[in-house]
Amino acid sequence: MVSDKAFTTNSGKETLLFLFGINLFVNISISETNMAPTNVKLNSVGAAACFAFGLCMVIYIVGFPDWFQKEKKISLKELLSVSIALVERGGTRVREIRERNTLADRSKGKTKEGAEEVLTEGDLESHRSIVYGFAKTFPGLQVISEESDIRPVSFRFIDNVNSNNEEVEKLVKSDMSVPFNKVSVWVDPLDATQEYKENLREYVTVMICVAVNGQPTIGVIHKPFEKKTVWAWVGVGHSSNLQTIKNSREEGDPHNIIISRSHTGDVADSVRKSLGNNTHIIFAGGAGFKTLEVIEGRADAYVHTTRIKKWDICAGNAILSAFHGKMTTLEGAFIDYSSRKEVRNNDGLLATLYDHYKYLEQHVAKPMEHNKDIR
């Protein structure tokens, strides 16, 4: 039988333990005579601990809210290395199909003027190689390609992509990480398809361009039949096979102007009228080839007066910018590469390494053929 004294003692101990426990959350003054609380105050430390515990439980159950999550970013140095690997992968397919003569060329439609646009297996296989490679390496990256044919495929059938290019590691000592949603990658899996069909191999290129906030930032151009790749990252560096070309043109020297061989329109006459008879017109295929001729000093300017797609010019634009050259519309506006919603540049093109605004002033007011397409 438990005595009243024992019961009182045990009850007192339980009361003390209870009050000690809740004293974590409130400060309680206890009367020594009757064990009754005489003053109750909030304990800030205990309240904070209670709040933190409750918050942890909520996060554990529902997960972190969006404002706790870091913005997804991408390394431009890694993206450059991957772009080099993929442009060469696409170029290998272009070269193999041409050498086997298995082009399977067909029309993919007509331009506004009624000219056929050619599509080959080289275009498609290069496109798949590049686009699948980007999708596996950088899921969710915005990639805008000239072609759109995609077959369902498991990533386990896609080879991994080398993200550590030896030359990039040697020449690029810094890096920059940018938000995914600021990056647009423009892909031309086979530039100069008509020339490819005609076996005019020197004009054929494969191109990848990285635009950040709509500005061409990294350009990679591959010549598959020469197995030559050039690249540049604006403000950072460029491939060792690209060197700065000094402006050696003197007063009285002929102007070397490169234009399209298959969509000439009235460009040649317009250029000669603008610059005078001391003008040498170079006819060539492929926007990538023509821009490289300017970059490497074999042409003073690339002039184009019809519509042109942005995947044709973005990579060359980036490389020109890296060498302080310029590419604008014939109205002098810089070209925005931020969105897939507008893939055409409608206002002509002028690309130069030097004297851009002199050429612009001489040519911009001249007649232009609008609303035409070029490959």
Side-chain angles (χ1 to χ4, degrees), residues 6 53-54 149 170 199 205 232 237 344 350:
F53 176 77
D149 180 79
K170 179 181 178 181
N199 207 19
T205 61
R344 297 174 186 269
L350 176 66

Side-chain angles (χ1 to χ4, degrees), residues 25-268:
F25 307 103
V26 294
N27 291 326
I28 305 174
S29 299
I30 303 174
S31 171
E32 295 181 359
T33 56
N34 57 13
M35 301 299 292
T38 60
N39 190 17
V40 179
K41 294 181 179 179
L42 183 67
N43 185 328
S44 58
V45 176
C50 182
F51 175 79
F53 176 77
L55 182 61
C56 289
M57 290 300 296
V58 170
I59 292 173
Y60 176 77
I61 294 169
V62 302
F64 281 95
D66 290 341
W67 42 270
F68 273 117
Q69 297 176 0
K70 290 184 178 180
E71 190 173 32
K72 189 176 181 182
K73 293 188 175 184
I74 187 169
S75 159
L76 290 186
K77 186 175 181 179
E78 185 179 359
L79 186 51
L80 168 59
S81 294
V82 169
S83 296
I84 294 170
L86 289 177
V87 82
E88 292 176 352
R89 185 180 291 185
T92 298
R93 300 298 296 130
V94 167
R95 187 173 60 253
E96 289 173 346
I97 289 167
R98 177 66 267 184
E99 289 175 349
R100 291 199 306 261
N101 198 27
T102 55
L103 275 62
D105 53 290
R106 61 268 198 195
S107 173
K108 66 175 182 179
K110 293 188 177 182
T111 65
K112 193 173 182 178
E113 302 74 48
E116 274 195 340
E117 291 188 295
V118 181
L119 179 69
T120 71
E121 280 302 301
D123 294 87
L124 293 176
E125 287 299 315
S126 176
H127 161 79
R128 292 173 188 134
S129 296
I130 294 170
V131 173
Y132 290 155
F134 274 125
K136 182 173 183 177
T137 311
F138 301 112
L141 182 65
Q142 179 178 226
V143 178
I144 306 162
S145 175
E146 178 174 8
E147 310 306 337
S148 57
D149 180 79
I150 294 291
R151 297 172 180 171
V153 64
S154 172
F155 281 162
R156 62 194 177 96
F157 296 115
I158 305 300
D159 292 337
N160 291 327
V161 184
N162 180 16
S163 60
N164 290 290
N165 179 274
E166 184 177 340
E167 186 181 42
V168 171
E169 291 300 319
K170 179 181 178 181
L171 298 178
V172 178
K173 302 302 182 183
S174 60
D175 195 5
M176 183 184 298
S177 293
V178 297
F180 253 64
N181 60 4
K182 302 296 183 184
V183 176
S184 302
V185 176
W186 293 80
V187 175
D188 192 341
L190 199 169
D191 189 38
T193 302
Q194 181 60 42
E195 286 73 20
Y196 181 66
K197 178 184 174 183
E198 295 174 26
N199 207 19
L200 299 173
R201 302 182 179 195
E202 66 270 26
Y203 298 127
V204 175
T205 61
V206 179
M207 297 185 284
I208 294 175
C209 176
V210 177
V212 179
N213 291 319
Q215 297 183 359
T217 303
I218 292 172
V220 185
I221 301 179
H222 176 63
K223 291 185 171 183
F225 298 103
E226 295 180 27
K227 299 184 180 179
K228 175 184 177 181
T229 303
V230 299
W231 58 266
W233 179 354
V234 178
V236 177
H238 57 82
S239 57
S240 57
N241 57 359
L242 278 176
Q243 300 299 326
T244 302
I245 307 298
K246 291 184 179 180
N247 186 7
S248 59
R249 189 177 181 281
E250 297 179 358
E251 191 71 28
D253 286 347
H255 300 276
N256 295 306
I257 309 299
I258 194 165
I259 67 174
S260 170
R261 64 179 287 271
S262 56
H263 297 77
T264 57
D266 65 352
V267 184

Side-chain angles (χ1 to χ4, degrees), residues 283-304:
F283 297 94
F289 175 87
K290 292 192 283 286
T291 307
L292 271 181
E293 291 295 283
V294 173
I295 293 166
E296 295 179 339
R298 289 181 288 274
D300 298 313
Y302 165 28
V303 177
H304 180 69

